[in-house]
Amino acid sequence: MSACTDESTARALVVRTARSLFTRGLTHGSTGNLSVRLADGTLLLTPTGSSLGTVEEGQLSRTDVHGKHLDGPRPTKEAFLHAAFYRARPGAHAVVHLHSTHAAAVSCLDGVNPADALPPLTAYYAMRVGKLPLLPYHAPGDSSLEPLAERTARTHHAVLLANHGPVVAGASMEQAADAIEELEETAKLHLLLRGHATRPLTPEQAAALASPSS
């Protein structure tokens, strides 16, 4: 999806992706939120308190790129994170935030490298995610995280929020969803392999696979 996609197509895409993530257990209850950037620069987001398993096309919220609510239901309380990523990444047209189990578990571990929370265990992780900064804990909806999120998003299209979960931006909704799913699977591998000697990709191998992100 690009910024020129019409709004009705964008709404359908958000709901279709939300259903896919929910039904496959990548989010639960009323956790997680998705957004797309429209051709006019405004954002469509899932609303606060909604479940990705039941949200409907007509229930999406609209904000500007600074998080100001324009119309529709009240947006997710983490709308400021989405806005921060879009401001930092002009090529981003979708943002996905989940509380996926294994990524959230990694975000709770002591001793995680704040510069890169997960090792590049697989080639697809290196290609779709790359380095994953761990941002310090803030309560959900705490907008004091916004400046740090925006600064970090200028150089990283994916971050992990401490004791919370991942946020990923993409040039398309498909790209963002694929990347956050790859992140979740790598977090699962990382936890399964704890206590075992591992052989991650070397920095050179990972760099060779890295592609320009949105």
Side-chain angles (χ1 to χ4, degrees), residues 1-79:
M1 175 189 161
S2 68
C4 64
T5 301
D6 67 273
E7 183 174 335
S8 62
T9 301
R11 286 177 178 271
L13 179 61
V14 169
V15 169
R16 184 168 69 248
T17 306
R19 293 283 191 280
S20 175
L21 294 170
F22 186 89
T23 57
R24 291 182 298 117
L26 287 160
T27 192
H28 57 277
S30 60
T31 64
N33 34 81
L34 284 69
S35 67
V36 293
R37 175 158 37 193
L38 298 174
D40 64 2
T42 62
L43 314 179
L44 282 179
L45 307 96
T46 50
T48 187
S50 64
S51 166
L52 298 189
T54 58
V55 67
E56 299 290 347
E57 293 178 25
Q59 297 172 334
L60 301 184
S61 308
R62 188 196 300 269
T63 73
D64 67 15
V65 77
H66 300 287
K68 180 182 177 182
H69 186 199
L70 300 176
D71 60 56
R74 191 156 56 94
T76 168
K77 59 180 171 289
E78 288 157 342

Side-chain angles (χ1 to χ4, degrees), residues 21-172:
L21 294 170
F22 186 89
T23 57
R24 291 182 298 117
L26 287 160
T27 192
H28 57 277
S30 60
T31 64
N33 34 81
L34 284 69
S35 67
V36 293
R37 175 158 37 193
L38 298 174
D40 64 2
T42 62
L43 314 179
L44 282 179
L45 307 96
T46 50
T48 187
S50 64
S51 166
L52 298 189
T54 58
V55 67
E56 299 290 347
E57 293 178 25
Q59 297 172 334
L60 301 184
S61 308
R62 188 196 300 269
T63 73
D64 67 15
V65 77
H66 300 287
K68 180 182 177 182
H69 186 199
L70 300 176
D71 60 56
R74 191 156 56 94
T76 168
K77 59 180 171 289
E78 288 157 342
F80 68 90
L81 278 174
H82 293 253
F85 268 76
Y86 289 118
R87 291 195 304 271
R89 308 192 70 81
H93 297 301
V95 174
V96 179
H97 166 49
L98 300 178
H99 299 183
S100 49
T101 301
H102 299 92
V106 170
S107 82
C108 298
L109 292 176
D110 189 27
V112 172
N113 179 3
D116 197 6
L118 282 173
L121 293 172
T122 68
Y124 279 95
Y125 178 80
M127 285 190 284
R128 291 177 174 163
V129 179
K131 290 188 179 296
L132 182 69
L134 176 71
L135 302 191
Y137 174 75
H138 289 69
D142 182 353
S143 62
S144 67
L145 176 59
E146 186 170 2
L148 175 59
E150 185 171 354
R151 288 196 303 273
T152 307
R154 290 175 190 147
T155 52
H156 299 83
H157 72 288
V159 303
L160 185 61
L161 308 178
N163 304 86
H164 193 158
V167 184
V168 177
S172 66

